[in-house]
Amino acid sequence: MAQHKVNYTQDGGLPVALTSIDKIVNWGRSNSLWALTYGLACCGIEMMASGASRFDFDRYGTIFRASPRQADLMIVAGTLTKKHAEFIKRLYDQMTEPRWVISMGSCANTGGMFNTYATVQGVDRIIPVDLYLPGCAPRPETLQYGVMLLQKKIRANKAGNAQKAKRLM
Amino acid sequence: MRAYTPKDDVQAKAYYTDRYYVAPQVPKSEVETDEVFAADLEAIKAKFEVKEAYIQVEQMVVYINAHDIYGVLEFMRDELAYTQLSEMSAIDWLAKDNTFEIFYQMLSMEKRKRIRVKYFIENGQAVDSVEKLFRSADWSEREMFDMFGIEANNHPFMKRILMPYDWQGYPLLKTYPLEGDEFAAWYEVDKIYGKEARDIIGPEIRDTATVDRYDSERFARLGFEVPKGTKITGNEEPHVDSYQEDGGIFLIKKYDKESSVVIDDPQR
């Protein structure tokens, strides 16, 4: 005999919420975006600030993970050098699908002010990017807004569909 | 008052273009004007050939022969109390007379003096490593090899230090373009995806201000965001992008300005 008896006739019915598979899966995905710690330069400081208590990423369910196997969001925060390019590709490949990428700051977007031989001119030359955040460096509020937009983007897609290849590789 | 210069295209063109520019020299003075330096120079001259010596900005500059460098630095470290090698590298004079100038910046904490030891080598010639004397020369000589292609004999690990091992070219040479040569431009694409991916990825966009509003593969125009790969005609209606769908989402209530209350007294 259950100690807490559930009155199924109260409040108009059973303790059940009806929804669709798409909605419940996307709700789970969008509210538990585990991000890979990817601070490459000064943008990484802003990313760390976003995760710390003042801006508090945890309330979005965004928790930084130190392993690509446990992450489904890669925030590329900083300058990507050509020497490092193969490693970002390898880490991206190690992340499980579905996976998303935020390019944070001018350097990751376009190479920024580093118009030189050693800097990749935009991280989207190596991996597909979902969201570009402008700024040098973007404030934590920008990153928060970016994560919210990404959540909305995730919820707008069909959960069952396999991720479309964004670039033919 | 400063003279007026037109600033219409000041951002468009680089204000400094001459990469072979040689800065004017600050005044030099005789070594005899400083008795500590004069005594040091006499001691060096007694053992090694000194081609030229002068004082510039309170530092003595000594030119020696390239093959003497290990002996000179060992002598300065053990006998003259110049116990630190704070910096060493090379200067590219290839355009002038096909030589490199190698400099060693020495510091004596005891005497509170600095001496710069210099010599010239021909292009393609190697230098003698001083890594056995000063551990700081280990990485400095590797950096010199990385940036100028000057090898150091008897170095324990003569490999590139900053650039990848499979890099081609020496970036600090004056002839090396700042934005990189053909190899540098395609380095990451060739290495990760192979040469056949060049056509798909395309060349680097070096003007960071470039925005193509008809390209939906990269940035979106603010207020005109479309899904990736959509054909943009230019007649799209602007829209305000809220971060949450109308009516809220599953299990999360949307903030409604009308039904919310502003608390006047925060203490209540």
Side-chain angles (χ1 to χ4, degrees):
Chain A
M1 194 71 185
Q3 284 189 341
H4 305 284
K5 198 181 176 192
V6 180
N7 185 1
Y8 293 114
T9 54
Q10 197 180 297
D11 292 336
L14 303 168
V16 169
L18 290 176
T19 182
S20 66
I21 292 287
D22 271 347
K23 271 193 175 175
I24 189 79
V25 170
N26 281 336
W27 170 75
R29 279 178 183 170
S30 65
N31 289 300
S32 64
L33 278 174
W34 286 8
L36 179 63
T37 53
Y38 217 111
L40 291 171
C42 31
C43 282
I45 302 293
E46 300 295 308
M47 190 177 72
M48 288 174 225
S50 312
S53 53
R54 185 184 177 104
F55 296 97
D56 199 8
F57 251 180
D58 291 7
R59 56 205 167 102
Y60 302 99
T62 300
I63 300 164
F64 288 105
R65 307 301 296 178
S67 162
R69 314 266 181 202
Q70 301 171 355
D72 38 24
L73 168 64
M74 179 188 260
I75 303 175
V76 185
T79 320
L80 181 67
T81 58
K82 297 205 173 186
K83 192 177 182 178
H84 194 81
E86 61 172 315
F87 307 132
I88 202 171
K89 173 66 178 159
R90 192 184 302 168
L91 288 168
Y92 179 77
D93 287 344
Q94 285 175 353
M95 287 163 64
T96 48
E97 286 185 343
R99 57 198 168 188
W100 297 275
V101 176
I102 289 180
S103 161
M104 183 182 177
S106 296
C107 292
N109 292 343
T110 65
M113 64 177 181
F114 298 105
N115 196 2
T116 65
Y117 59 90
T119 309
V120 177
Q121 302 295 305
V123 69
D124 55 1
R125 289 176 64 77
I126 308 295
I127 54 176
V129 174
D130 293 279
L131 208 64
Y132 299 86
L133 304 182
C136 181
R139 292 271 309 162
E141 289 91 332
T142 315
L143 186 54
Q144 285 181 332
Y145 184 61
V147 167
M148 286 195 223
L149 282 181
L150 186 65
Q151 287 179 334
K152 187 184 171 188
K153 182 183 174 178
I154 292 167
R155 289 192 295 259
N157 287 336
K158 284 261 185 246
N161 288 3
Q163 265 196 320
K164 206 171 69 176
K166 286 150 189 159
R167 183 177 272 160
L168 290 172
M169 280 296 163
Chain B
M1 227 172 99
R2 196 184 302 166
Y4 175 78
T5 49
K7 294 179 182 62
D8 301 328
D9 56 349
V10 72
Q11 299 229 334
K13 65 178 181 187
Y15 63 90
Y16 183 78
T17 51
D18 182 13
R19 63 173 63 191
Y20 300 101
Y21 173 78
V22 179
Q25 294 277 303
V26 293
K28 301 168 184 173
S29 55
E30 297 290 324
V31 177
E32 285 70 34
T33 53
D34 188 305
E35 54 186 41
V36 180
F37 279 149
D40 288 343
L41 186 61
E42 281 309 309
I44 296 171
K45 267 184 177 169
K47 284 197 152 191
F48 304 97
E49 185 191 347
V50 172
K51 288 178 167 175
E52 194 188 350
Y54 53 84
I55 292 176
Q56 202 172 23
V57 204
E58 297 177 7
Q59 294 184 28
M60 182 160 76
V61 181
V62 180
Y63 282 89
I64 59 166
N65 285 316
H67 56 82
D68 282 338
I69 181 62
Y70 190 91
V72 169
L73 291 201
E74 189 176 32
F75 177 71
M76 284 174 68
R77 186 189 71 173
D78 297 338
E79 310 290 329
L80 302 180
Y82 286 89
T83 50
Q84 287 185 30
L85 174 68
S86 44
E87 194 188 356
M88 64 149 298
S89 192
I91 304 166
D92 176 359
W93 294 116
L94 294 181
K96 202 177 85 182
D97 49 7
N98 203 31
T99 56
F100 286 107
E101 189 175 1
I102 320 286
F103 64 89
Y104 297 76
Q105 187 75 22
M106 308 294 296
L107 168 65
S108 170
M109 298 291 278
E110 202 173 296
K111 296 177 178 174
R112 287 181 284 172
K113 291 284 185 193
R114 289 179 193 271
I115 290 183
R116 197 177 304 136
V117 182
K118 284 183 159 190
Y119 59 86
F120 289 96
I121 60 165
E122 292 289 317
N123 187 13
Q125 205 179 328
V127 301
D128 287 337
S129 170
V130 294
E131 191 268 339
K132 297 281 180 294
L133 296 173
F134 299 99
R135 286 288 289 128
S136 71
D138 185 351
W139 284 9
S140 298
E141 279 167 357
R142 281 179 67 187
E143 190 188 352
M144 188 168 76
F145 170 65
D146 196 353
M147 293 288 134
F148 294 98
I150 302 167
E151 290 188 44
N153 292 333
N154 302 324
H155 191 282
F157 191 67
M158 193 77 262
K159 285 211 171 195
R160 286 181 184 272
I161 191 168
L162 296 171
M163 304 308 292
Y165 286 163
D166 56 350
W167 191 261
Q168 291 172 18
Y170 300 103
L172 226 54
L173 294 177
K174 301 238 184 220
T175 48
Y176 194 88
L178 175 64
E179 296 181 355
D181 51 14
E182 169 86 10
F183 173 82
W186 294 103
Y187 174 78
E188 76 275 22
V189 174
D190 286 356
K191 189 167 187 182
I192 297 171
Y193 297 112
K195 275 197 165 59
E196 59 275 12
R198 286 186 180 192
D199 293 337
I200 305 168
I201 294 175
E204 291 176 325
I205 300 168
R206 281 294 178 174
D207 182 5
T208 50
T210 300
V211 175
D212 181 7
R213 58 178 289 198
Y214 297 103
D215 175 19
S216 61
E217 291 291 326
R218 304 184 76 234
F219 311 121
R221 196 170 157 216
L222 271 183
F224 293 87
E225 290 92 347
V226 291
K228 201 166 201 147
T230 312
K231 190 101 176 141
I232 298 174
T233 57
N235 301 322
E236 282 82 7
E237 290 291 315
H239 60 88
V240 180
D241 213 3
S242 156
Y243 59 82
Q244 217 178 66
E245 295 86 342
D246 292 334
I249 55 169
F250 179 55
L251 291 185
I252 299 173
K253 197 180 176 190
K254 190 178 166 84
Y255 164 69
D256 182 18
K257 212 169 186 179
E258 299 297 318
S259 62
S260 61
V261 184
V262 178
I263 300 166
D264 293 326
D265 179 17
Q267 303 296 326
R268 279 188 286 261

